[in-house]
Amino acid sequence: ENQEDKKNQQNKGVEVNGGRIIGSSDGSKIFIKKKNFDNHDQEDNIKNKNNQKKKYKKINLDEKLKDLVKVHGYQLLIDGVFNADPHPGNILVLEDGSLGLIDYGIVGNLSLEDRLKVAKVIVALAEDNLEEAARIYTESGYRIVDLKGNPQPSSLVGRIARFHLDKMDLSLIQLHPTSTETKIKEQQQEGKVEGKVEEKFKPSTELSVLLGSSAMTTKGNADKENKPQSILRVLHQSIELSAPDWQLQSRRLGCLLIGVCTQAGRPISLAKEWEPIARQLIAEHEKRTSKHVK
């Protein structure tokens, strides 16, 4: 039984005997020792189906992951048709060191208008302008509220955009509302704005049970707004009400790529890698538009 379990572990590519078993393009298995996990350039023995050993070409993992990110960024922004399921099982490193991408069973498709929105968010994230990324998200119809139904501030929306199209950022967050958000809140309190948001989006009893009674507690919310908080806690106490299609498609791709790089121990900023491609798309569109105007 233990041998069978070990065999199943090997097939899944998990750690066994101080290393990890992963698949090769010819159906053979590669065993990488733990001591080599942090080595960018490594050469390991491969046993093929005939149990014959051969050398595997040295691989710079950082370069391969950046190639992976860039090719999907080009598909997303320039082609508008992209593989929407690049999880680790669909990515191969071939014997000559090139990338092999398989299983295009899920394909995304974005119009030029939507691709331009994605491109502008990417440029904003690359420049660390979360306020601008949040503005594009919100103006496109993205809505997220707290458990009382109040709209979450743009500082959170910007961090969510970073999770979608840039990188994992688990640093503390301070929920600073913008001047516009503060004005709307004051008008609601003064009764100048009809219908309070919390009345329209009051959490259901089922939601309260699902999230737990502790998550529904709202004591000290005023103080919390002025103190750095756990981003995971804030997200746990938020409800996403709507997201446009271009965000749903692009964030699926982005989150999968972020996961692949993080799992490989090489976290990469998608926004930094995609920024040149995003700027290329924006520049080409502006050039075509200016010609039509003339």
Side-chain angles (χ1 to χ4, degrees):
E1 184 176 350
N2 291 334
Q3 291 180 347
E4 185 64 27
D5 291 340
K6 182 178 178 180
K7 183 178 179 181
N8 291 335
Q9 284 182 322
Q10 291 176 342
N11 290 334
K12 292 177 182 178
V14 299
E15 292 185 26
V16 291
N17 294 338
R20 182 177 292 273
I21 302 292
I22 62 175
S24 174
S25 59
D26 64 354
S28 59
K29 300 294 181 181
I30 308 171
F31 178 73
I32 302 178
K33 294 181 180 178
K34 272 187 176 179
K35 66 180 181 180
N36 290 329
F37 278 2
D38 296 326
N39 187 359
H40 292 195
D41 296 312
Q42 55 190 351
E43 188 172 308
D44 298 284
N45 288 327
I46 304 176
K47 285 187 177 182
N48 61 21
K49 294 178 181 179
N50 297 323
N51 207 33
Q52 296 173 333
K53 287 186 177 181
K54 56 183 177 180
K55 287 292 184 178
Y56 191 70
K57 185 178 177 65
K58 287 186 177 181
I59 298 170
N60 187 313
L61 188 54
D62 295 76
E63 288 183 0
K64 293 306 168 188
L65 288 171
K66 287 185 178 182
D67 287 344
L68 175 71
V69 168
K70 288 176 182 177
V71 72
H72 283 89
Y74 192 91
Q75 290 178 3
L76 172 69
L77 295 168
I78 304 301
D79 296 334
V81 180
F82 57 93
N83 176 16
D85 199 26
H87 61 74
N90 287 340
I91 302 164
L92 302 174
V93 178
L94 306 182
E95 293 177 18
D96 63 356
S98 60
L99 282 176
L101 305 178
I102 62 172
D103 189 3
Y104 276 60
I106 302 178
V107 176
N109 194 326
L110 292 180
S111 66
L112 174 59
E113 180 183 358
D114 286 342
R115 283 184 280 136
L116 286 168
K117 292 175 183 176
V118 177
K120 290 174 182 177
V121 171
I122 289 168
V123 170
L125 292 172
E127 296 176 343
D128 203 29
N129 189 347
L130 299 188
E131 188 68 34
E132 174 64 9
R135 182 192 67 78
I136 298 170
Y137 258 47
T138 302
E139 290 184 359
S140 298
Y142 183 80
R143 297 290 180 270
I144 185 169
V145 298
D146 63 20
L147 295 178
K148 293 181 68 177
N150 298 309
Q152 290 285 29
S154 59
S155 55
L156 178 60
V157 177
R159 283 287 290 277
I160 290 172
R162 172 171 280 173
F163 276 126
H164 291 166
L165 295 170
D166 187 18
K167 60 185 178 181
M168 290 287 291
D169 182 359
L170 299 178
S171 59
L172 298 178
I173 183 172
Q174 201 157 0
L175 297 179
H176 285 306
T178 63
S179 57
T180 302
E181 292 164 342
T182 302
K183 185 176 180 180
I184 292 174
K185 192 171 182 180
E186 290 174 351
Q187 289 177 339
Q188 287 178 338
Q189 292 173 346
E190 294 172 4
K192 294 180 180 179
V193 177
E194 294 184 5
K196 292 187 176 181
V197 179
E198 57 263 32
E199 293 176 354
K200 186 175 181 181
F201 301 117
K202 186 176 180 181
S204 64
T205 304
E206 292 79 5
L207 181 62
S208 304
V209 174
L210 178 64
L211 295 177
S213 58
S214 60
M216 301 300 292
T217 304
T218 58
K219 292 180 180 179
N221 282 346
D223 293 336
K224 286 183 180 179
E225 287 182 357
N226 299 320
K227 295 180 180 179
Q229 303 178 54
S230 163
I231 181 66
L232 295 180
R233 181 180 292 276
V234 173
L235 291 172
H236 181 68
Q237 297 181 0
S238 302
I239 305 170
E240 187 179 79
L241 297 178
S242 63
D245 179 67
W246 67 265
Q247 287 176 17
L248 295 174
Q249 290 198 53
S250 62
R251 79 188 193 188
R252 174 185 171 86
L253 173 63
C255 288
L256 280 168
L257 290 174
I258 291 170
V260 169
C261 296
T262 303
Q263 186 178 8
R266 309 289 192 276
I268 294 174
S269 167
L270 300 189
K272 292 293 185 183
E273 297 301 321
W274 286 352
E275 182 184 11
I277 306 173
R279 290 189 181 279
Q280 175 188 339
L281 175 67
I282 294 171
E284 290 177 353
H285 175 70
E286 290 176 349
K287 187 176 180 179
R288 287 195 299 266
T289 303
S290 63
K291 284 183 179 180
H292 288 306
V293 172
K294 292 178 181 180

